[in-house]
């Protein structure tokens, strides 16, 4: 079906829904690279006007990638709940935006419709929204998950402690981990990106973090971010696996490039569930995504990069994840050129994920060749904090020495918690207080009082 919009004396025609969505997207370098972006701001406005008039029902009958050739399309259509969709089935995309922003639409209403939303519907409405709209609507939609602590409660924000090391040196990783804990970070998880995919090295890191957790009774979870097949192998060797990691994308072809399928993710999910290691809940999966991943693999099928990204959240939703992380600026300026595009993408990703019922966090980051700097990251960090982000990254000095990109630091987490009054996961916050790291308000205590963990950790690190 084609779509038409007239502006003045110009008539704009869009061949199909896929083209309309691409032309309606806010400007970004990835869509320009793919040759699918609007040719002018006027064409972009025309596409938005036409998109606003599209009934939400149209997304159930016009697949962007054919049902027969893409398992992500099949997943979204087969799992769609007509009952959950009933409340909004009569709306156009523009009406849906107004409904989302209405004061009468609350968290319960957004939760009720989640299973009735396809990623294409959610991507479409985001294209009509200003940044403040994305923040206001996302803030209404908390997504709460549990493993050894509780993440995503309103008024809370967690931190993934990321103690990477360029050679996987165990003592180096342990030192960074301890540093982060002393700043009150790590309630989302302790997550290590290994420099090698060696099963022996992965198992060593899993055992080290689990030994520390048990020794000091830390109510958090650990993860080594290796390929899902390596984690399954580690589980088979009785390694202490808490969360299973995998990078995912929004098309079957892009996921095949990652060496995964929905069936393989299901196998990993069931393996992790069988370990029954959670104490307050059993959300066991950790997924990472990023706008541009399908395009970089030439597996986007002409779909704009933001819509492809939201399709990845439908994959994540299938497996009830504990955390989903959009690594927003990591792929580079070929896909998100500057601070403005990175900021917009981060707000879109958070909004779209939350609307689908996914526990969204964000690696607020950029590569050194992007037209962005730490001030841009400060802005996005603050905006996402207001929007109700579930978690951010905690990297020593905000500079990841293994992955070679810029992220957010332990100090950045202190800043955003302070200015917005955000607390840590309640179980983790109680532990920090018991270890004399924070007071009852969650404020860091002076260094002289932090002896229980420091003294014990010196001895432990000698053994690590």
């Amino acid at each position: 079906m084609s779509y038409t919009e007239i502006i003045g004396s110009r008539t704009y025609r869009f061949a199909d829904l896929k083209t309309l969505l691409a032309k309606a997207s806010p400007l970004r370098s990835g869509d320009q690279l793919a040759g699918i972006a609007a040719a002018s701001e006027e064409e972009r406005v025309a596409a938005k006007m036409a998109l606003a008039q599209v009934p939400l029902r149209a997304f159930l009958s016009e697949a962007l990638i054919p049902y027969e050739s893409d398992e992500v399309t099949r997943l979204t259509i087969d799992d769609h709940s007509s009952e959950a969709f009933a409340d909004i089935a009569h709306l156009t995309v523009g009406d849906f935006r107004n409904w989302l922003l209405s004061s009468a639409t609350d968290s319960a209403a957004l939760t009720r419709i989640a299973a009735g939303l396809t990623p294409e519907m959610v991507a479409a409405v985001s294209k009509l929204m200003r940044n403040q709209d994305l923040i206001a609507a996302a803030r209404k939609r908390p997504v709460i998950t549990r493993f050894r602590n509780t993440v995503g409660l309103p008024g809370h924000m967690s931190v993934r402690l990321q103690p990477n090391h360029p050679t996987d040196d165990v003592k180096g990783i342990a030192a960074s981990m301890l540093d982060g804990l002393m700043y009150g970070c790590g309630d989302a998880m302790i997550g290590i990106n290994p420099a090698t995919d060696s099963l022996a090295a992965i198992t060593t890191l899993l055992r080290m973090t689990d030994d520390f957790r048990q020794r000091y009774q830390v109510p958090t979870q650990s993860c080594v971010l290796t390929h899902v097949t390596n984690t399954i192998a580690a589980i088979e060797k009785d390694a202490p696996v808490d969360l299973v990691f995998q990078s995912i994308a929004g098309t079957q072809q892009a996921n095949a490039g990652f060496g995964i399928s929905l069936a393989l993710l299901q196998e990993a999910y069931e393996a992790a569930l069988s370990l029954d290691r959670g104490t307050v809940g059993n959300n066991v999966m950790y997924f990472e995504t990023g706008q541009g991943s399908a395009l970089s693999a030439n597996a986007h099928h002409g779909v704009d990069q933001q819509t492809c990204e939201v399709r990845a959240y439908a994959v994540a939703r299938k497996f009830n994840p504990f955390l989903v992380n959009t690594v927003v600026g990591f792929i580079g300026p070929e896909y998100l050129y500057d601070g403005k595009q990175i900021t917009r993408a981060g707000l879109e990703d958070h909004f779209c994920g939350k609307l689908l019922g996914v526990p969204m966090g964000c690696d607020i980051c950029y590569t050194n060749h992007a037209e962005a700097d730490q001030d841009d990251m400060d802005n996005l960090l603050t905006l996402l904090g207001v929007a109700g982000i579930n978690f951010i990254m905690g990297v020593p000095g905000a500079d990841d020495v293994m992955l070679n990109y810029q992220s957010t630091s332990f100090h950045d987490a202190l800043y955003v918690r302070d200015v917005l009054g955000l607390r840590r996961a309640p179980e983790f916050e109680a532990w920090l207080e018991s270890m004399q790291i924070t007071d009852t308000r969650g404020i860091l205590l002076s260094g002289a009082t932090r002896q229980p963990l420091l003294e014990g950790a010196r001895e432990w690190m000698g053994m690590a």
Side-chain angles (χ1 to χ4, degrees), residues 73-360:
T73 299
R74 293 195 291 275
L75 170 68
T76 61
I77 297 301
D78 294 349
D79 283 7
H80 181 259
S81 168
S82 56
E83 181 180 358
F85 185 56
D87 284 356
I88 57 171
H90 61 290
L91 299 178
T92 65
V93 177
D95 294 333
F96 185 37
R97 173 190 175 274
N98 296 337
W99 183 85
L100 289 169
L101 297 174
S102 169
S103 58
T105 302
D106 57 11
S107 297
L110 293 177
T111 302
R112 190 166 57 247
I113 68 165
L117 295 173
T118 69
E120 291 83 0
M121 294 176 193
V122 174
V125 75
S126 75
K127 297 175 193 299
L128 305 184
M129 301 174 86
R130 292 169 55 187
N131 286 3
Q132 67 171 251
D133 299 337
L134 298 172
I135 293 167
R139 188 174 175 84
K140 296 182 186 183
R141 182 54 167 108
V143 179
I144 300 166
T145 56
R146 296 176 173 87
F147 190 77
R148 288 197 188 92
N149 59 30
T150 306
V151 170
L153 293 167
H156 292 66
M157 185 200 74
S158 297
V159 176
R160 172 194 157 186
L161 175 48
Q162 185 170 305
N164 295 343
H165 191 279
T167 64
D168 288 340
D169 180 78
V170 174
K171 287 190 177 181
I173 290 171
S176 293
M177 181 175 68
L178 179 62
D179 187 29
L181 290 168
M182 298 306 296
Y183 279 102
C185 294
D187 49 340
M189 71 168 179
I190 299 168
I192 304 165
N193 296 86
T196 173
D197 274 336
S198 157
L199 184 58
I202 291 162
T203 303
T204 296
L205 295 176
L206 285 168
R207 295 195 188 283
M208 181 272 288
T209 52
D210 195 62
D211 176 69
F212 183 90
R213 179 192 63 79
Q214 292 193 62
R215 183 181 294 256
Y216 297 102
Q217 300 181 311
V218 190
T220 191
Q221 35 286 319
S222 63
C223 182
V224 174
L225 280 65
T226 186
H227 193 269
V228 64
T229 52
N230 292 329
T231 305
I232 292 172
I235 290 173
E236 291 172 348
K237 291 185 175 296
D238 297 321
V241 172
D242 288 343
L243 305 181
V244 174
F245 163 79
Q246 183 55 48
S247 293
I248 56 173
T251 73
Q252 179 177 335
Q253 185 182 352
N255 282 325
F258 285 139
I260 61 167
S261 64
L262 296 181
L264 180 59
L265 293 178
Q266 183 68 34
E267 179 186 349
Y269 179 52
E270 292 173 2
L273 285 175
S274 72
L275 300 178
D276 196 25
R277 290 174 59 83
T279 55
V280 299
N282 222 10
N283 298 110
V284 296
M285 303 298 283
Y286 173 58
F287 294 119
E288 287 192 345
T289 68
Q291 288 194 29
S293 59
L295 174 58
S296 69
N298 196 28
H300 63 296
H301 301 278
V303 177
D304 68 272
Q305 69 178 36
Q306 190 248 342
T307 301
C308 279
E309 172 73 0
V310 186
R311 284 168 57 93
Y313 304 154
V315 174
R317 180 171 63 174
K318 178 70 174 176
F319 302 102
N320 303 310
F322 182 65
L323 308 168
V324 176
N325 178 30
T326 169
V327 192
V328 66
F330 183 75
I331 301 181
E334 300 84 357
Y335 306 96
L336 296 170
Y337 178 72
D338 57 15
K340 182 174 183 178
Q341 292 187 15
I342 292 171
T343 297
R344 173 69 190 190
L347 294 176
E348 287 172 346
D349 294 352
H350 178 249
F351 161 79
C352 292
K354 285 290 186 66
L355 211 56
L356 287 171
V358 171
M360 289 302 298

Side-chain angles (χ1 to χ4, degrees), residues 443-464:
I443 305 299
L444 289 183
L445 295 170
S446 63
T449 64
R450 299 182 193 169
Q451 294 308 310
L453 183 61
L454 275 179
E455 291 302 321
R458 288 193 185 102
E459 178 185 355
W460 174 80
M461 284 186 66
M463 299 164 56

Side-chain angles (χ1 to χ4, degrees), residues 373-429:
D373 58 28
Q374 212 66 37
D375 286 338
D376 295 310
M377 301 306 104
D378 287 349
N379 294 342
L380 179 54
L381 170 62
T382 306
L383 294 173
L384 286 172
V386 174
I389 193 81
N390 277 31
F391 70 100
I392 63 168
M393 302 299 109
V395 177
D399 183 2
D400 192 298
V401 295
M402 196 280 282
L403 293 173
N404 291 308
Y405 77 115
Q406 309 303 310
S407 185
T408 47
S409 71
F410 308 143
H411 304 81
D412 294 331
L414 293 178
Y415 147 74
V416 76
R417 286 194 175 117
D418 180 46
V419 297
L420 298 178
L422 301 173
R423 305 299 293 257
R424 300 169 181 86
E427 302 89 345
F428 190 79
E429 196 156 84

